[in-house]
Amino acid sequence: MKAFFWGILILIVVVMFWLWFAKDRNPHLVKTYKSPLTEHSIEVWVYDESYSAPGDAWSGEGFVLLKNGVGKVLEKKGTELVISIEEPYWFEDRVEVKLFAEWPLAK
């Protein structure tokens, strides 16, 4: 009987780990910032979380992409909290996202 109990307990723990780590990790685009000076853009993506509360669309993990005018990804950087990504400051030769990244802009 003790072995049966431990077997069930281990099965429950394994299923809980699987459910936790097998989250739906499909990203979706939440914001695009286009440069007024060049043809570059920054896209902010967030991973879907099946357990997030209503209204928490921006509060999860995600990543930020810097793209050129034809859509080629020039830079990619992950973030723990997508909501912390602020509007970028665009310059002729670089873009700055406050407290996150500073990337040069390819000509």
Side-chain angles (χ1 to χ4, degrees):
M1 186 67 168
K2 219 176 194 183
F4 177 74
F5 171 75
W6 283 108
I8 294 296
L9 184 62
I10 290 172
L11 179 65
I12 290 171
V13 169
V14 168
V15 168
M16 294 296 287
F17 273 111
W18 180 79
L19 289 173
W20 179 257
F21 290 109
K23 295 184 258 184
D24 185 10
R25 301 292 292 178
N26 294 323
H28 66 271
L29 181 64
V30 291
K31 186 73 177 168
T32 301
Y33 299 103
K34 295 190 185 252
S35 170
L37 305 172
T38 65
E39 294 190 11
H40 293 83
S41 65
I42 287 182
E43 294 180 356
V44 181
W45 292 76
V46 66
Y47 290 112
D48 291 334
E49 301 290 348
S50 56
Y51 56 84
S52 63
D56 281 348
W58 280 70
S59 64
E61 269 185 86
F63 56 92
V64 179
L65 301 176
L66 171 64
K67 291 185 171 184
N68 65 9
V70 294
K72 179 182 175 192
V73 176
L74 304 175
E75 299 282 348
K76 178 179 180 180
K77 185 174 180 183
T79 180
E80 293 285 323
L81 201 56
V82 170
I83 198 167
S84 67
I85 304 300
E86 296 184 15
E87 187 164 343
Y89 295 102
W90 297 96
F91 302 94
E92 292 281 334
D93 61 341
R94 70 186 191 286
V95 60
E96 294 177 9
V97 181
K98 188 176 178 183
L99 302 175
F100 181 72
E102 182 176 334
W103 292 318
L105 298 177
K107 298 272 180 187

